[in-house]
Amino acid sequence: MVRPTVAGVLAELERSEPGLAELLAGSADREIHSVWLAEDLRELDGCPRQALVLLSRTASQHAQGYKLDVALRRLGDVAGLVLQAEAPRPSLSALALARREDLPLVRLTRSADVTQLLSTVIRMLDAQLPTLLERAIRVCRDIDRLETGDISDEDLVRDSGAAELFGLTLGSRDPRLSGVPAVMTEPDGPWLQREPTVTSEDSLAELSMWRLCAAMTKRSIETDRAEQLCMLSAGELLNQLLDPGTDDSGPLLRRAADIGVRVEGWNQVIILEFANLLALAEDDPVTAYRYTQTVSRVAAQTASQQEGRWTMAPRAGGMLLLRTGNHPEGPAGLRRLRSAVQTVLDRALESFPGVHILCGIGGSHEGLQGLRASRAEADAALQSARLRGASNEPVLFDAPGLSRLLVEWYSSSSVRQSVDDLFAPLADLGEARQKEYSTTLRVYLENNRSVSRTSRQLYLHRNTVTYRINRILGVLGVDLDDPNQFLAVYLACYAQSMSHCAGGLRRGPEASVEG
């Protein structure tokens, strides 16, 4: 086999790019067995014998003064050394070293694409390269044509010719094969792979792999964006439908039906709260938000694979899932739903170990008002999970009778407005004082107006509790000895305990239990 020489490579470059390269020292008749690109001067120790060594731009910039002298002494039996135009003019000592070793020292006279020189040398080294290049070009062109079509990744590998021409396969990663991830954002997913060889075909096969990887990654990102856009659109509508302040819901219902969100059936709301993502993010809200998006996406995708129609809506610190069916759920249906929600929680925990998810499930109710009632019940169940510290397990709203009646009562927009009006004077005292007073009043009423039990539960002095209660009643202008006023205040305080209910009052921080 006739090997190319440095002189032959310089002559070929001169024909394609006149004046691009100049021989500074040494004999150009050395044979070239391979080409070696060095990104750092320290890599010169590992150069193969009789390789034409090409320094990168960065390495060329560092090849000045004594550093180039040291580099020349460290070179073994190579075919030559090529400096790019970014390299300073070699010193006299460096030129003398190259002449003494008869080492061809070449310098490019202007900035150029390094791949041009590499391609020239490789083409001269491998007589098969034109054929291989034609294969790679054909594969890349076919990928350009096919990547926007409605075909699977497996069909893309096959129909582009990559499988037949380069032996590429798509499957689980095999360390014995050379390959790249099929989707760059999913390194644990399928890989594009082939049996490695020692020919130039490896490089062109790798080129085809990366072109396929780019196509599959683009398709994956576009699919994810479309799914997220659909979920966000549906979630935005769902949040608007859940808002009891929405006066005319007709247009919303029609728009929701157009994108597949139907609430005329039997609705059941599931609320997930990611209790410790901010702690896992080391109190970085941006990182915590990114974590929330990740867990929400996994939960929504898992829910969509379960029985029934599912819709996802974002929620501060978590998410809301709506499951819609054609009939109310009996005991067997509730067991299936509980199992499905547990699957969602398990998958989210698997994808994000360490997360604590609080989960509340509302009852099954019909129509828009039923949707809002189920939302209120899910909030109540979520609060129960929070108080009990029941993380990573679904908690159902299972309180019939009076509790269910009160939840449905509170789902009314007029009732919510009445509660807001009743407690409006406390808002004038400032947010901190409002929370402090409303919590004290709620605990006082829950303890049957016992100052001693209230003081023990809140860790306050009896006099402090007495002062606060008198102050609150004075600000609100109510008389708890009046049965009607007592009932109104008690129900309003009950409404406070339903955390995150739209339009309602928030519970005090001391009512929360870390999950």
Side-chain angles (χ1 to χ4, degrees), residues 240-244 246 249 367-376 411:
Q240 292 181 49
L241 289 170
L242 285 168
D243 183 359
T246 302
S249 57
L368 178 59
Q369 291 304 319
L371 169 67
R372 293 171 178 171
S374 184
R375 156 70 180 274
S411 65

Side-chain angles (χ1 to χ4, degrees), residues 317-339:
M319 64 183 297
L320 181 148
L321 292 169
L322 168 65
R323 180 179 178 273
T324 305
N326 297 323
H327 49 75
E329 294 290 358
L334 288 176
R335 287 194 295 271
R336 289 194 299 270
L337 175 62
R338 184 187 184 96
S339 176

Side-chain angles (χ1 to χ4, degrees), residues 285-410:
V286 175
T287 302
Y289 175 79
R290 189 171 67 250
Y291 288 172
T292 300
Q293 298 299 302
T294 299
V295 181
S296 297
R297 183 169 60 253
V298 172
Q301 291 173 348
T302 306
S304 67
Q305 300 167 5
Q306 310 304 310
E307 179 185 358
R309 297 197 304 270
W310 294 80
T311 306
M312 186 276 282
R315 170 183 166 109
M319 64 183 297
L320 181 148
L321 292 169
L322 168 65
R323 180 179 178 273
T324 305
N326 297 323
H327 49 75
E329 294 290 358
L334 288 176
R335 287 194 295 271
R336 289 194 299 270
L337 175 62
R338 184 187 184 96
S339 176
V341 174
Q342 187 64 64
T343 299
V344 171
L345 297 177
D346 291 344
R347 182 66 186 91
L349 184 61
E350 178 184 333
S351 68
F352 208 101
V355 63
H356 290 172
I357 304 178
L358 301 176
C359 175
I361 302 178
S364 180
H365 301 277
E366 190 175 16
L368 178 59
Q369 291 304 319
L371 169 67
R372 293 171 178 171
S374 184
R375 156 70 180 274
E377 292 177 356
D379 269 314
L382 181 69
Q383 181 179 348
S384 175
R386 187 183 299 112
L387 293 173
R388 290 161 43 195
S391 63
N392 302 327
E393 65 176 86
V395 174
L396 278 73
F397 180 84
D398 55 2
L402 182 59
S403 294
R404 180 178 293 275
L405 177 64
L406 289 174
V407 168
E408 293 181 355
W409 163 80
Y410 189 61

